[in-house]
Amino acid sequence: SSPGATLTNFGVGQIMVLSISASFLPDAVGELGIYLNGAFNSSTSLQDYVLWGGNGVRDSVAQTKGIWIDNDEIVITGIAAGETLQLKPGLPGNSAADYEIAPSTLGAEQVAAPVELAIKEVGFVDADTLFVEFLYTGSGTVKVTESGTLGPPFTDVAARTTVATPTPTRFEFDIVGSALFFRLEEE
């Protein structure tokens, strides 16, 4: 555990190691939720969730919050001694597909590959249509947003007009009636 970390004082970026028995956290089927308080049926209280090996009890609460898919279990058939469920680098942990079974890395330095999102070129397709070509090394999706003030709020351009994607790293959209500043955002 991180120095100073306790169950009642747990900071951002700290690691908490819990030694719990198999009867408390069963091997074959289980779920783990982190709550702000004892309101276990409250999506407001639920902060994080994972389900493995079968049907859950609180997965519908996690689905309501938008942090898990109801009845989506991580399949652990064939898990061997010394292996653990691990969140894949760069993924949010909101579905079974975001996890993998792998040898335990507890205590090992964790290095996630950096995600790069950069504009490569901006230009005009015609007098009313702008194109943005970009580099993206992540596994999520990218959207183009706009603002009239070079600051918040930025709104999704797709809410105003059609955004064409002739290639996975190129957006084309109508600029008539648009804001003055554009940026790319990872979703």
Side-chain angles (χ1 to χ4, degrees):
S1 294
S2 298
T6 68
L7 285 177
T8 58
N9 183 17
F10 196 73
V12 173
Q14 289 187 310
I15 296 172
M16 176 63 67
V17 178
L18 303 173
S19 295
I20 51 181
S21 69
S23 62
F24 178 79
L25 193 62
D27 304 348
V29 177
E31 59 187 338
L32 181 62
I34 299 174
Y35 295 84
L36 290 175
N37 54 42
F40 299 119
N41 287 321
S42 167
S43 62
T44 303
S45 178
L46 182 60
Q47 299 302 296
D48 205 355
Y49 179 86
V50 64
L51 167 66
W52 65 91
N55 293 329
V57 175
R58 307 280 186 229
D59 53 333
S60 61
V61 178
Q63 180 177 2
T64 298
K65 185 171 182 96
I67 61 171
W68 196 257
I69 300 169
D70 194 20
N71 295 317
D72 189 25
E73 66 176 279
I74 302 168
V75 176
I76 59 168
T77 305
I79 191 169
E83 291 183 319
T84 60
L85 297 178
Q86 298 178 22
L87 180 62
K88 295 175 186 174
L91 296 178
N94 295 344
S95 73
D98 291 355
Y99 291 85
E100 64 187 351
I101 296 173
S104 177
T105 59
L106 187 61
E109 182 179 357
Q110 303 293 313
V111 179
V115 173
E116 188 174 357
L117 176 58
I119 295 174
K120 292 172 49 179
E121 186 176 358
V122 176
F124 287 93
V125 174
D126 58 41
D128 296 331
T129 307
L130 187 72
F131 76 83
V132 178
E133 290 190 4
F134 58 95
L135 169 70
Y136 178 58
T137 61
S139 60
T141 58
V142 176
K143 67 179 179 180
V144 61
T145 61
E146 62 187 0
S147 170
T149 62
L150 191 57
F154 277 84
T155 57
D156 192 343
V157 171
R160 176 184 55 78
T161 188
T162 301
V163 176
T165 53
T167 70
T169 57
R170 180 178 171 120
F171 292 133
E172 295 178 359
F173 54 93
D174 189 340
I175 59 169
V176 174
S178 71
L180 301 173
F181 302 100
F182 302 96
R183 74 176 181 187
L184 300 177
E185 296 180 20
E186 184 180 32
E187 294 185 288

